[in-house]
C-alpha cells in the first residue's frame, strides 16, 4: 500500500495533505509507520482518516478522574461516527484533595504544566490531527486547555463531571465540610464518631468536588471560553447524559477539522474576558486568576492577574454556590446549567456575544436557544445580583506590587487590619492553628510557599478550613505567596507577589507589623515606610528549599511569577512555528 487511499466516503471532506498525520500515514516512505497501525487492527480506511487524540487524565487516585476512561470510550465512538480514527492516551493528574495539607501539594500546580507538556509531546510525536481532552481535577482542566491552545489543532474539552453531594444528619455536605470538621474536632466540638461518619458519607459518587471550587470553576470557564459544548461541563459524573455529551464531542471535533476552526480562533482576548466574568459571577476559585493568564500565555495574549481583576471588579456575583453560598454544581445543572448563568450575564452586557465556540457558532448564537428559568434561586438575574461586584477581588499595594487575590463571595466584612504572625511554611502555620497558638485579630502570614519558593505554590485548605472549624474564620485573616483551594472561605489572600523566595515584601515582614487589607478598594499594604522595607531588604538572604533535585527542582528553575500565571516557558508570543501547521 502506498498510503494514497482516500478512505471512506465520509472522510472525503478532510484534506489529509494539510493535516499533521500525513507525516505518519501518507506515501511509500511511511510504510513502517503504517505497519504499526495495522498491528493494532486498523484498516486502510481508518489509517487514511484524520487521527484524533483522545487524551484522558484518568487515574485511581480519587473520584475526580475515576470515570474518565469510561467517558473516553464514548468519545471514541463519536469520533468514529464522524469518520475519524480515535487514538486514546492518558496523562497524569495530581488530585488536590489527596495532596492537600502535606508536601504532596507541592506537586499539584507543577502537574498542570506537566499535563500540558505531556499532551503536547504525545500529539507531536504521533502527529495527531485533533484533540478531545477529558479532565477531572483542579489542575488537569487548565493543563488540558493549555495544551489545546498551544497545539492549536481542532480541539474540544470535556469535563468528567462533578461529584454528587453527601448527606450528613439531614444536611447536604461536601469534602469542604470534612476539612472544616478537622478544625471542629481539634477544639472538641465534634466527636470521633461524628467525624468518622462524616468522612464516610461526604463523597458518595465519582466526580470532582461538587461546589464552586477550582475544578467546577474551570469547568465553568471551559464553557464560557468556548472550548466545551454547552451544558456538558455542568452534568454530574454519574449522570448518564454525560455519554451524550461525550459522543457529541467526538462527532463535533470532526466538524471542526473539516471547517478548520482551531482553539486560537476561539480563545481570544474577548473569550478570556468572558471566562473571567463567569469566575466572578459564580463566586469561583481564586485559582481562576492563575489559570486564565496561563491559558492566555499559550496563545501569545497578554492577560495577567490585573486584567482578570478588572473583569472581576465590574462583574456581579449571581450564582449562590458553595463555599460562599448554599448550592452545588448538581443544583445549577438541574435548573439550567452553566448556560443559564451565561444567559443572564450576556443579556445584561457582561459577556461578549461575538466569540466563536466549538459548536461552530458564536456564544450569542448558542445562548439564543437558552431560556431564563425564573422558577429557581440558584442563579440570580444579573440586574438583581447577590452583590454588585464579583465574588473574587484582586488586590495591590506595597505588600503586593505584582498583585494578590481574595475570594469575597459570602463574606460580610471586606476590610481587615491587624498585626502579622509570620510562618515560613504551611506546616508551621497549621501546627500553630491546631494548638490555638494565635490570637483573634491577627493576620497569619504563610510565606516561602510561592511558585519558586515552595516550590510549587501549595494550596492552604487544611489551615484555612481548620480556622473555620475553630470558629475563627472571620476573626483572623491569612495572606500567602502560595494559593488557596477553591473550597477556602474567610479573609484569605493568596498569590501575593513578588513571592518571598525572590525577596518580595512578604518575606520582609516581622511579627507585629500592621497589615491592612481592603477588598473594597483592592489594596494590600503593610504599615511600613519604603525606607524601612529597603533597610530590611539589605539583610534578607535567599532561603534554600528542600527540593534540590527532581521535578520540583526543575520547575523552580523555570517558573515565573503568579501575576502571569506561574508559567514555565516563553509562550505563544515567542513561537516560531505552530504544531497545527507542521
Amino acid at each position: 500500500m502506498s498510503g494514497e487511499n482516500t478512505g471512506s466516503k465520509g472522510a472525503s471532506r478532510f484534506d489529509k495533505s494539510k493535516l499533521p498525520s500525513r507525516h505518519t500515514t501518507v506515501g511509500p516512505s511511511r510504510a513502517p509507520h503504517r505497519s504499526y497501525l495495522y498491528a493494532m487492527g486498523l484498516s486502510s480506511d481508518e489509517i487514511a482518516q484524520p487521527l484524533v487524540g483522545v487524551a484522558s487524565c484518568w487515574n485511581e487516585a480519587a473520584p475526580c478522574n475515576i470515570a474518565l476512561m469510561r467517558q473516553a470510550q464514548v468519545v471514541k465512538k463519536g469520533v468514529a461516527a464522524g469518520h475519524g480514527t480515535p487514538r486514546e492516551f492518558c496523562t497524569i493528574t495530581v488530585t488536590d484533595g489527596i495532596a492537600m495539607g502535606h508536601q504532596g501539594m507541592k506537586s499539584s500546580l507543577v502537574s498542570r504544566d506537566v499535563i500540558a507538556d505531556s499532551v503536547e509531546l504525545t500529539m507531536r510525536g504521533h502527529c495527531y490531527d485533533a484533540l478531545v481532552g477529558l479532565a477531572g481535577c483542579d489542575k488537569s482542566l487548565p493543563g488540558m486547555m493549555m495544551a489545546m491552545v498551544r497545539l492549536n489543532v481542532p480541539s474540544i474539552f470535556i469535563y468528567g463531571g462533578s461529584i454528587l453531594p453527601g448527606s450528613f444528619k439531614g444536611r447536604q455536605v461536601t469534602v469542604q465540610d470534612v476539612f472544616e470538621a478537622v478544625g471542629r474536632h481539634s477544639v472538641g466540638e465534634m466527636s470521633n464518631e461524628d467525624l468518622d461518619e462524616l468522612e464516610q458519607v461526604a463523597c458518595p459518587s465519582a466526580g470532582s468536588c461538587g461546589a464552586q471550587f477550582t475544578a467546577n470553576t474551570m469547568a465553568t470557564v471551559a464553557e464560557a471560553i468556548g472550548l466545551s459544548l454547552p451544558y456538558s461541563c455542568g452534568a454530574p459524573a454519574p449522570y448518564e447524559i454525560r455519554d451524550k455529551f461525550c459522543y457529541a464531542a467526538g462527532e463535533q471535533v470532526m466538524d471542526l477539522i473539516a471547517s478548520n476552526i482551531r482553539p486560537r480562533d476561539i480563545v481570544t482576548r474577548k473569550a478570556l474576558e468572558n471566562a473571567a466574568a463567569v469566575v466572578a459571577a459564580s463566586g469561583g476559585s481564586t485559582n481562576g486568576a492563575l489559570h486564565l493568564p496561563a491559558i492566555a500565555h499559550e496563545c501569545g495574549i497578554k492577560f495577567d492577574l490585573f486584567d482578570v481583576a478588572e473583569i472581576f471588579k465590574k462583574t456581579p456575583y449571581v450564582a449562590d454556590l458553595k463555599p460562599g453560598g448554599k448550592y452545588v454544581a448538581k443544583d445549577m445543572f438541574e435548573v439550567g446549567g452553566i448556560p443559564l448563568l451565561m444567559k443572564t450575564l450576556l443579556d445584561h452586557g457582561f459577556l461578549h456575544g461575538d466569540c466563536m465556540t466549538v459548536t461552530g457558532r458564536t456564544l450569542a448564537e448558542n445562548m439564543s436557544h437558552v431560556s431564563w428559568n425564573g422558577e429557581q434561586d440558584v442563579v440570580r438575574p444579573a440586574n438583581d445580583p447577590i452583590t454588585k461586584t464579583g465574588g473574587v477581588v484582586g488586590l495591590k499595594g506595597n505588600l503586593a506590587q505584582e498583585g494578590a487575590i481574595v475570594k469575597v463571595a459570602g463574606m460580610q466584612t471586606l476590610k481587615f487590619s491587624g498585626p502579622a504572625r509570620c510562618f515560613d511554611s504551611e506546616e508551621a502555620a497549621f501546627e500553630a492553628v491546631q494548638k490555638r497558638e494565635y490570637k483573634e485579630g491577627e493576620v497569619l502570614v504563610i510565606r516561602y510557599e510561592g511558585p519558586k519558593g515552595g516550590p510549587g505554590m501549595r494550596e492552604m485548605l487544611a489551615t484555612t478550613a481548620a480556622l473555620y472549624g475553630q470558629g475563627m474564620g472571620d476573626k483572623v485573616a491569612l495572606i500567602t505567596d502560595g494559593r488557596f483551594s477553591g473550597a477556602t472561605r474567610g479573609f484569605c489572600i493568596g498569590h501575593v507577589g513578588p513571592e518571598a523566595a525572590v525577596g518580595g515584601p512578604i518575606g520582609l515582614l516581622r511579627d507585629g507589623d500592621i497589615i491592612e487589607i481592603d477588598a473594597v478598594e483592592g489594596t494590600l499594604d503593610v504599615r511600613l515606610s519604603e525606607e524601612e522595607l529597603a533597610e530590611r531588604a539589605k539583610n534578607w538572604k535567599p532561603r534554600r528549599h528542600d527540593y534540590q533535585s527532581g521535578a520540583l527542582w526543575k520547575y523552580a528553575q523555570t517558573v515565573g511569577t503568579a501575576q502571569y500565571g506561574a508559567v514555565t516557558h516563553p509562550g505563544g508570543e515567542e513561537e516560531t512555528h505552530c504544531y497545527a501547521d507542521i
Side-chain angles (χ1 to χ4, degrees), residues 177-521:
D177 296 276
V178 187
F179 274 100
E180 293 181 3
V182 172
R184 294 177 59 200
H185 180 267
S186 73
V187 294
E189 292 186 5
M190 176 174 270
S191 68
N192 291 336
E193 293 75 20
D194 279 353
L195 181 61
D196 184 59
E197 180 185 345
L198 176 61
E199 71 181 61
Q200 293 186 49
V201 301
C203 301
S205 74
S208 300
C209 296
Q212 201 68 350
F213 309 155
T214 304
N216 280 326
T217 296
M218 295 311 296
T220 306
V221 160
E223 282 197 33
I225 212 167
L227 288 174
S228 291
L229 295 175
Y231 297 99
S232 66
C233 287
Y239 282 20
E240 292 297 321
I241 196 173
R242 292 221 53 81
D243 284 1
K244 292 185 178 181
F245 292 127
C246 291
Y247 191 93
E251 286 189 305
Q252 183 61 23
V253 80
M254 301 310 299
D255 286 345
L256 295 180
I257 297 173
S259 57
N260 197 30
I261 296 176
R262 300 179 175 185
R264 295 185 197 178
D265 300 321
I266 293 168
V267 182
T268 61
R269 172 88 188 196
K270 285 184 176 180
L272 288 158
E273 292 177 355
N274 287 347
V278 299
V279 174
S282 64
S285 169
T286 54
N287 283 312
L290 190 74
H291 301 321
L292 288 177
I295 293 170
H297 178 75
E298 300 289 353
C299 307
I301 299 172
K302 291 182 178 178
F303 190 71
D304 69 8
L305 184 150
F306 295 115
D307 295 310
V308 175
E310 278 301 307
I311 304 300
F312 288 172
K313 192 184 300 182
K314 59 187 181 185
T315 306
Y317 166 43
V318 297
D320 194 9
L321 299 171
K322 288 177 179 284
K326 59 184 177 181
Y327 293 109
V328 295
K330 173 189 78 74
D331 301 319
M332 188 159 79
F333 178 71
E334 290 175 349
V335 300
I338 296 166
L340 184 74
L341 171 66
M342 292 167 60
K343 175 72 171 177
T344 189
L345 292 175
L346 179 67
D347 286 350
H348 293 93
F350 296 104
L351 294 181
H352 304 288
D354 57 347
C355 295
M356 178 56 63
T357 73
V358 292
T359 64
R361 300 186 296 270
T362 66
L363 184 146
E365 289 170 331
N366 291 341
M367 290 301 102
S368 68
H369 302 284
V370 178
S371 299
W372 175 251
N373 177 2
E375 302 301 314
Q376 53 81 39
D377 65 348
V378 181
V379 180
R380 297 268 288 272
N383 62 342
D384 183 25
I386 299 168
T387 59
K388 290 185 178 181
T389 55
V392 185
V393 172
L395 307 174
K396 190 176 184 179
N398 72 349
L399 197 48
Q401 297 99 324
E402 293 178 357
I405 202 84
V406 60
K407 178 187 278 194
V408 297
M411 284 174 49
Q412 301 303 313
T413 302
L414 299 181
K415 297 182 181 183
F416 197 100
S417 178
R421 173 70 68 89
C422 300
F423 303 94
D424 287 348
S425 71
E426 182 193 8
E427 284 84 0
F430 185 70
E431 182 180 359
V433 170
Q434 286 287 78
K435 294 178 178 179
R436 297 296 295 266
E437 294 175 349
Y438 65 93
K439 298 176 182 177
E440 182 176 332
E442 288 184 327
V443 179
L444 309 186
V445 178
I446 305 178
R447 57 197 180 187
Y448 295 102
E449 291 286 6
K452 285 185 180 293
M457 205 180 182
R458 281 194 287 184
E459 291 183 355
M460 311 292 175
L461 177 59
T463 303
T464 60
L467 285 168
Y468 233 92
Q470 293 176 356
M472 298 293 286
D474 58 352
K475 295 180 175 64
V476 297
L478 197 156
I479 71 169
T480 181
D481 51 9
R483 299 180 297 121
F484 289 116
S485 165
T488 288
R489 53 180 175 156
F491 224 139
C492 300
I493 292 100
H495 307 193
V496 174
E499 61 174 297
V502 299
I506 191 172
L508 307 178
L509 294 176
R510 297 173 183 168
D511 287 350
D513 289 342
I514 302 301
I515 295 172
E516 299 171 330
I517 308 162
D518 188 334
V520 178
E521 296 299 322

Side-chain angles (χ1 to χ4, degrees), residues 56-113:
S56 163
C57 293
W58 175 86
N59 65 26
E60 292 183 330
C64 329
N65 307 296
I66 201 69
L68 294 179
M69 187 175 287
R70 182 191 65 77
Q71 293 186 36
Q73 308 316 305
V74 185
V75 172
K76 290 161 67 177
K77 291 178 181 178
V79 170
H83 302 286
T85 302
R87 310 315 298 150
E88 182 182 2
F89 63 94
C90 287
T91 183
I92 69 159
T93 315
V94 173
T95 298
D96 286 11
I98 297 288
M100 194 73 69
H102 55 89
Q103 293 284 309
M105 178 48 77
K106 293 186 177 183
S107 300
S108 172
L109 184 59
V110 180
S111 76
R112 181 194 72 179
D113 291 62

Side-chain angles (χ1 to χ4, degrees), residues 53-56 89 115-117 119-120 123 129-135 140-159 222 225-228 249 253 256 261-267 294-295 298-299 358 575 578-580:
V54 179
S56 163
F89 63 94
I115 290 164
D117 292 350
V119 172
E120 176 196 357
M123 294 286 291
D129 301 315
L131 174 62
V132 180
L134 299 93
S140 59
L141 282 79
M144 194 65 73
M145 287 185 267
M146 287 162 66
M148 289 174 176
V149 291
R150 182 187 301 178
L151 294 162
N152 204 32
V153 290
S155 301
I156 294 181
F157 177 81
I158 295 176
Y159 179 42
I225 212 167
L227 288 174
S228 291
V253 80
L256 295 180
I261 296 176
R262 300 179 175 185
R264 295 185 197 178
D265 300 321
I266 293 168
V267 182
I295 293 170
E298 300 289 353
C299 307
V358 292
E575 203 175 69
C578 177
Y579 165 75

